[in-house]
Amino acid sequence: MSTLTAPAPALAPRRAWLADLPVLLVAVVWGGSYLAAKGITTQHTVIAVLVVRFALVLPVLVLAGWRRLRALSAAQLRGAGVLGLVLGGIFLLETYGVVHTSATNAGLIISLTMIFTPLAESAVRRTAPSPAFLGAAAVSVAGVVLLTQGAGFSAPGLGDLLILGAALARTLHVLLMARIKAVQDADALSLTTVQLGSAVLLFALLAALPGTGASPWAAALDFGPAEWAGLAFLSVFCTLFAFFVQMWAVRRTSPSRVSLLLGTEPLWAAAAGIAIGGEHLGALGLTGAALVLAGTAWGRRAAG
């Protein structure tokens, strides 16, 4: 997630496409991140993998924005630190969740953030959402119910519930970013760096507790070439590449176009899970996936 700046001037169609393509690639790699995380993580290595993944990224971000990082006020550091703890909770829920469910389910369920956030904003502002948006929310929720029932109707699995919790935590993160006044004018790179640093500190403290699984060092030593490739994909492409592309894109196109392109993430998650991961949804699951995608797209338009 990033803080988007004011809309950029309109671009010619060819230049707009050149600006859109890297953003679309970010949506693709984010969609593939669920399958990558599932491939390198077990229930006993979740925290260790998170420590290693973000510890590899953090020094690059610190070096890239050191001067602006030092300019942050104490209030901005505190605000970013709080956001980082919430961000850490999001990654914990997402990663534990994807261990216990399919990458396809994870990518589609997490897209409910686009529905939850406007609903939460309406509740905070005490305003009623539009009937169209409520209809979109109902379609999305019905889609998730069908998506998680591919083998017949039963209670949603633990992984599905954890991913649902991650979607709610993402909503909280967005609301806090809009309401913690100290961070609203902060430099985006510095804000992201402090948030990730706070999240890594949380992961490291959890990793030091007994009974929380393998240590980061032990997990790293057990990695083979395939695991390191997956970790590099998550660290370099899903974190560094994604963040810098977003910063670059909002200066050359509009925040709305960036948001719309990044909203295709669940589509790519489903594509990766089915085409690469060999996952199968069944008739109910396919219907549910279609409803989730339709509902979130409808909700985005109704909220906009």
Side-chain angles (χ1 to χ4, degrees):
M1 297 180 185
S2 66
T3 302
L4 300 179
T5 60
L11 298 177
R14 179 176 175 81
R15 290 184 61 198
W17 170 245
L18 291 176
D20 288 347
L21 183 57
V23 181
L24 186 61
L25 289 176
V26 170
V28 173
V29 297
W30 277 355
S33 67
Y34 302 98
L35 187 62
K38 190 173 182 66
I40 67 172
T41 312
T42 68
Q43 183 175 351
H44 301 291
T45 62
V46 167
I47 296 173
V49 167
L50 287 172
V51 171
V52 177
R53 171 184 173 181
F54 292 108
L56 292 175
V57 169
L58 199 57
V60 178
L61 294 176
V62 170
L63 289 174
W66 177 245
R67 183 175 300 176
R68 287 170 290 180
L69 193 61
R70 291 180 62 188
L72 291 177
S73 67
Q76 288 173 328
L77 287 171
R78 287 193 298 270
V82 170
L83 289 172
L85 294 178
V86 178
L87 187 66
I90 293 170
F91 281 115
L92 285 168
L93 288 166
E94 283 185 353
T95 311
Y96 274 114
V98 82
V99 168
H100 295 286
T101 190
S102 68
T104 302
N105 276 24
L108 290 165
I109 293 172
I110 203 69
S111 69
L112 289 179
T113 302
M114 290 184 282
I115 296 295
F116 292 156
T117 302
L119 287 175
E121 286 181 333
S122 294
V124 169
R125 295 174 180 174
R126 297 182 180 180
T127 59
S130 68
F133 185 82
L134 291 176
V139 169
S140 297
V141 172
V144 168
V145 171
L146 291 178
L147 178 68
T148 58
Q149 307 303 315
F153 285 97
S154 61
L158 173 62
D160 300 320
L161 295 176
L162 289 171
I163 297 295
L164 188 62
L168 292 170
R170 279 195 185 191
T171 297
L172 175 62
H173 188 262
V174 172
L175 293 179
L176 287 175
M177 285 190 70
R179 281 161 178 77
I180 298 179
K181 294 181 179 180
V183 304
Q184 290 176 10
D185 296 325
D187 171 67
L189 175 58
S190 301
L191 181 61
T192 298
T193 303
V194 175
Q195 286 188 79
L196 287 182
S198 181
V200 169
L201 178 60
L202 172 64
F203 302 148
L205 290 174
L206 290 175
L209 296 176
T212 54
S215 71
W217 180 253
L221 287 177
D222 284 340
F223 280 173
E227 287 78 13
W228 278 110
L231 190 64
F233 174 77
L234 291 171
S235 298
V236 176
F237 291 99
C238 298
T239 307
L240 284 179
F241 170 74
F243 175 74
F244 285 110
V245 163
Q246 287 180 86
M247 287 193 66
W248 171 84
V250 294
R251 291 175 172 84
R252 290 162 175 80
T253 184
S254 71
S256 296
R257 289 177 72 94
V258 172
S259 179
L260 182 63
L261 290 166
L262 293 180
T264 64
E265 175 191 345
L267 178 63
W268 302 111
I274 294 170
I276 302 174
E279 297 175 354
H280 301 283
L281 290 178
L284 283 177
L286 287 171
T287 302
L291 288 176
V292 170
L293 293 173
T296 51
W298 182 15
R300 181 187 294 272
R301 289 195 300 272

